[in-house]
């Protein structure tokens, strides 16, 4: 019996175990996510934290793409941004929904019970009664508090964001992948660019798909192209491929070139209005050669906003060029990729042509240092993984010249100064552009401007940060510029009052690799000593310039005050002197006292009223003026006359289409010689 039961129980147990193993194997099945799916689930990484931030980030990404497109073909940028508010009814009609009134009101978040409504009405009536009593007694009423009204979670605000530029445009066949495939782009080389990650407009499309379900619309035409491409598409999140609704060519009758992108997203204009406008203003500061037109169109016309940031100059920074990797900045993975992708045959050619600052002689010396397994003529494709590690170790230990900053495109002191003057109208401004420096093998340049006074500038230190000519508005507290300006600069030593003066601190950092903290590209960490030192030095150089201007202004003010004080006492001094002269005249006429011939002549003029109190007053005033002029002349002779123009002058050449000219650059001006 026992023997009969054993096998049956064993069979049952094995079937249970196999069932469990199948379940566990199903639970541990390996899954894979596409890049689009990853960023859709982690949208905060790309700056799409909430509807308001998503609206701001969408505007930012579209504007920066537009500027890159125009600058790439050396065309003065003209960017138009429109945010149109879309009401619930209009949005429902766009997606094909019919408006429906509420049936069961208790289902909704903003439902108010009879008891709560009665309590609120009693509270409002009591507040109105107190206000009436205060008004009758002459007391000042407090501002009435805003009554809290619950907003349903499903009640969202929608906006159509449109960005149009006059840039390069996009090839017809590339548009679907440029917008519908995450982590695909044209900015992946070692080059100073505004964007790096291939997200940008793609994240706006993903957010549109998540919040509205509506596709993005792109119109684009390249220079000398006879047609305009129109494309309407969305993105297949799970497969990371574009889903094309319409892709066609239209006649380009206006010979327009550029791109126009239109996307409908959920957003919050009310909370992020100031951030978006502040971003546009800062962009006008760092790119004064661009023209921006910003419009907000509301369902309520009184809330419409139109702001135009006019072009201040037509001098553009040079186009940044792609460079090669510096040996000290590469890692093992990058070396392997370069070996795989190189078109060079030998190791000597590979080292000489794939890296900066390695000439033929140095390449030969490096190969000799690597050991007997290496030779200049060995095939680079035959280099093993172990040998790549040896190359990497040598690159980390060897000494190489720093890369030059020739590949970088800073805004330039001239443009930075113009941008600050145009947007802030400060009383005085100083700018400084540092020389190229290096961190981790990457060149960088720090430009700074410091202004005092100005329009719409708050008291204290107002910090404006830029990285690769992008305004940085968020996470300011941990940024290297903020920490340096607030903690490492002794403003008092430069005659600047940190709390009372209106101080603007502008710092722009450009590099082939900006060490952002996080993919949101919001701030630069304070942990890179090379950048922190360069930022401090640039701000200090601006402060030194301002100090000399402030000292001159203080001396001029003291001089005016001294002159004012002397002029104030002229009437009293004149009266006292004239009384003494009259007394002397009486003594002379009564012969009680004799005076010298010169004194007698003067007293006779007093008696004949040739010298009066008024003539004395005029002579004293002339003497004060003469002394003031002589002191000013002596000061100018000693310190040198270096006054700045009283007006900011901008000269346009007569023929705007004239292209035959030479620009001679200086830190503070550009002289244009028209040929």
């Amino acid at each position: 019996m026992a023997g009969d039961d054993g096998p049956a129980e064993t069979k049952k147990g094995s079937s249970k175990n196999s069932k469990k193993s199948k379940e566990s194997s199903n639970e541990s099945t390996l899954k894979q996510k596409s890049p689009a799916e990853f960023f859709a689930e982690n949208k905060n990484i790309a700056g799409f934290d909430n509807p308001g931030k998503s609206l701001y980030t969408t505007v930012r990404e579209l504007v920066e793409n537009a500027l890159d497109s125009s600058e790439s073909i050396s065309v003065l940028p003209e960017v138009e941004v429109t945010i149109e508010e879309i009401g619930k009814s209009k949005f429902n009609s766009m997606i094909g929904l019919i408006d429906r009134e509420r049936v069961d009101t208790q289902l909704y978040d903003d439902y108010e019970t009879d008891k709560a409504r009665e309590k609120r009405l009693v509270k409002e009536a009591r507040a109105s009664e107190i206000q009436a009593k205060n008004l009758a007694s002459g007391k000042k009423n407090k501002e009435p508090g805003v009554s809290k009204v619950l907003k349903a979670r499903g009640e969202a605000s929608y906006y159509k964001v449109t960005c149009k530029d006059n840039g390069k445009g996009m090839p017809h066949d590339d548009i679907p992948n440029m917008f519908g495939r995450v982590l695909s782009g044209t900015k992946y080389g070692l080059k100073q660019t505004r964007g790096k990650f291939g997200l940008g407009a793609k994240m706006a499309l993903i957010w549109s798909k998540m919040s509205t379900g509506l596709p993005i619309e792109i119109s684009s035409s390249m220079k000398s192209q006879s047609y305009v491409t129109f494309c309407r598409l969305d993105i297949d999140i799970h497969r990371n491929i574009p889903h094309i609704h319409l892709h066609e060519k239209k006649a380009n009758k206006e010979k327009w070139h550029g791109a126009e992108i239109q996307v409908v997203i959920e957003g919050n204009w009310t909370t992020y209005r100031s951030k978006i406008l502040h971003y546009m203003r800062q962009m006008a500061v760092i790119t004064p050669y661009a023209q921006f037109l910003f419009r907000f169109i509301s369902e309520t016309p009184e809330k419409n906003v139109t702001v135009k940031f006019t072009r201040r100059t037509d001098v553009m920074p040079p186009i940044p060029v792609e460079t090669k990797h510096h040996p000290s900045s590469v890692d093992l993975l990058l070396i392997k990729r370069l070996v795989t992708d190189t078109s060079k045959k030998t190791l000597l050619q590979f080292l000489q042509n794939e890296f900066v600052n390695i000439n033929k002689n140095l390449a030969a010396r490096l190969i000799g240092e690597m050991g007997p397994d290496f030779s200049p003529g060995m095939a680079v494709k035959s280099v093993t993984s172990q040998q790549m590690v040896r190359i990497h170790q040598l690159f980390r230990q060897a000494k190489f010249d720093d890369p030059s900053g020739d590949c970088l495109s800073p805004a330039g002191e001239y443009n930075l100064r113009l941008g600050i003057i145009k947007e802030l109208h400060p009383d005085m401004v100083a700018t400084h552009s540092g020389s190229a420096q290096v961190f981790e093998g990457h060149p960088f340049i720090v430009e700074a401007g410091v202004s005092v006074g100005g329009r719409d500038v708050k008291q204290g230190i107002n910090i404006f940060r830029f990285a690769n000519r992008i305004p940085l508005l968020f996470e300011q507290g941990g940024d290297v510029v903020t920490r340096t300006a607030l903690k490492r600069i002794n403003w008092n030593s430069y005659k600047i009052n940190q709390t009372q003066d209106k101080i603007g601190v502008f710092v722009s950092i450009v590099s082939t690799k900006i060490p952002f903290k996080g993919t949101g590209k919001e701030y630069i960490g304070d942990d890179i000593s090379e950048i922190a030192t360069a930022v401090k030095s640039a701000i200090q150089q601006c402060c030194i310039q301002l100090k000399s201007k402030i000292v001159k202004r203080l001396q001029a003010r003291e001089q005016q005050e001294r002159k004012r004080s002397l002029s104030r006492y002229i009437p009293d001094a004149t009266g006292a002197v004239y009384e003494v002269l009259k007394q002397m005249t009486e003594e002379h006429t009564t012969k009680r006292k004799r005076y010298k011939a010169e004194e007698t002549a003067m007293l006779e003029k007093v008696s004949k009223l040739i010298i009066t109190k008024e003539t004395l007053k005029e002579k004293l005033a002339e003497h004060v003026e003469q002394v003031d002029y002589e002191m000013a002349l002596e000061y100018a002779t000693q310190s040198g006359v270096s006054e700045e123009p009283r007006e900011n002058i901008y000269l346009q050449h007569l023929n705007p289409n004239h292209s035959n000219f030479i620009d001679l650059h200086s830190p503070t001006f550009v002289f244009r010689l028209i040929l």
Side-chain angles (χ1 to χ4, degrees), residues 530-549:
E530 295 93 338
I531 292 180
T533 303
V535 168
K536 181 180 178 181
S537 175
I539 296 174
Q540 284 176 329
Q541 289 299 319
C542 294
C543 290
I544 290 169
Q545 295 176 43
L546 284 179
K547 183 179 179 180
S548 63
K549 297 179 183 180

Side-chain angles (χ1 to χ4, degrees), residues 240-299:
N240 190 33
I241 59 173
H243 177 216
I244 302 170
H245 296 245
L246 181 64
H247 192 195
E248 62 179 4
K249 296 178 181 179
K250 300 178 180 179
N252 188 7
K253 296 177 181 178
E254 298 177 357
K255 296 183 179 179
W256 166 72
H257 64 85
E260 183 176 8
I261 300 166
Q262 191 176 96
V263 60
V264 179
I265 59 172
E266 181 184 348
N268 190 330
W269 166 256
T270 307
T271 55
Y272 273 76
R273 176 184 187 274
S274 60
K275 285 288 185 186
I276 293 171
L277 292 175
H278 193 43
Y279 169 81
M280 295 301 299
R281 188 186 185 194
Q282 287 204 32
M283 189 58 86
V285 168
I286 201 66
T287 52
Y289 52 87
Q291 180 170 293
F292 298 97
L293 178 62
F294 177 83
R295 286 188 295 254
F296 173 75
I297 302 172
S298 172
E299 288 192 309

Side-chain angles (χ1 to χ4, degrees), residues 103-377:
V103 179
D104 188 350
T105 56
Q106 294 185 22
L107 280 173
Y108 298 90
D109 267 357
D110 55 356
Y111 172 72
E112 190 177 33
T113 63
D114 293 338
K115 188 175 181 181
R117 182 173 178 275
E118 184 180 347
K119 189 176 179 181
R120 177 173 58 81
L121 292 174
V122 168
K123 189 176 180 180
E124 289 176 358
R126 192 181 301 122
S128 300
E129 187 179 340
I130 292 170
Q131 283 189 353
K133 285 181 181 179
N134 290 341
L135 193 64
S137 61
K139 290 183 180 178
K140 189 176 179 181
N141 272 320
K142 292 182 179 179
E143 289 291 329
V146 180
S147 58
K148 292 182 180 179
V149 180
L150 288 172
K151 184 178 179 181
R153 282 176 296 185
E155 189 178 339
S157 301
Y158 300 101
Y159 302 89
K160 182 193 292 181
V161 181
T162 307
C163 183
K164 185 177 181 180
D165 64 65
N166 62 335
K168 181 181 180 181
M170 294 167 280
H172 175 83
D173 295 331
D174 292 345
I175 289 176
N177 281 330
M178 291 177 80
F179 286 87
R181 194 185 296 273
V182 173
L183 299 184
S184 65
T186 59
K187 301 179 181 179
Y188 284 130
L190 191 64
K191 182 179 177 181
Q192 175 194 322
T193 58
R194 288 189 172 93
K196 275 285 186 187
F197 300 109
L199 291 174
K202 297 152 193 158
M203 272 307 303
L205 174 55
I206 289 175
W207 174 244
S208 172
K209 188 174 178 69
M210 294 174 69
S211 59
T212 69
L214 291 171
I216 193 171
E217 294 184 353
I218 306 108
S219 297
S220 174
S221 180
M222 303 184 75
K223 260 191 172 182
S224 304
Q225 200 165 265
S226 60
Y227 61 89
V228 174
T229 297
F230 178 78
C231 187
R232 184 186 296 119
L233 59 88
D234 63 26
I235 187 170
D236 186 326
I237 299 288
H238 301 293
R239 294 194 293 164
N240 190 33
I241 59 173
H243 177 216
I244 302 170
H245 296 245
L246 181 64
H247 192 195
E248 62 179 4
K249 296 178 181 179
K250 300 178 180 179
N252 188 7
K253 296 177 181 178
E254 298 177 357
K255 296 183 179 179
W256 166 72
H257 64 85
E260 183 176 8
I261 300 166
Q262 191 176 96
V263 60
V264 179
I265 59 172
E266 181 184 348
N268 190 330
W269 166 256
T270 307
T271 55
Y272 273 76
R273 176 184 187 274
S274 60
K275 285 288 185 186
I276 293 171
L277 292 175
H278 193 43
Y279 169 81
M280 295 301 299
R281 188 186 185 194
Q282 287 204 32
M283 189 58 86
V285 168
I286 201 66
T287 52
Y289 52 87
Q291 180 170 293
F292 298 97
L293 178 62
F294 177 83
R295 286 188 295 254
F296 173 75
I297 302 172
S298 172
E299 288 192 309
T300 310
E302 301 83 47
K303 295 181 180 179
N304 287 355
V305 176
T306 301
V307 184
K308 187 174 183 179
F309 301 93
T310 55
R311 180 177 293 117
R312 185 67 174 79
T313 176
D314 57 2
V315 177
M316 296 177 64
I319 299 173
V321 296
E322 190 166 347
T323 186
K324 297 171 185 174
H325 294 276
H326 191 270
S328 62
S329 69
V330 298
D331 54 34
L332 188 57
L333 190 64
L334 182 57
I335 293 174
K336 289 182 179 180
R337 183 170 67 80
L338 291 174
V339 168
T340 304
D341 297 343
T342 188
S343 60
K344 303 304 174 185
K345 302 296 183 183
T346 66
L347 181 59
L348 181 70
Q349 293 172 340
F350 171 73
L351 295 178
Q352 187 180 344
N353 292 280
E354 296 293 344
F355 301 94
V356 295
N357 294 3
I358 298 183
N359 55 28
K360 187 175 182 180
N361 181 45
L362 180 57
R365 290 175 61 194
L366 289 170
I367 293 171
E369 185 66 22
M370 290 175 191
D373 295 337
F374 296 84
S375 66

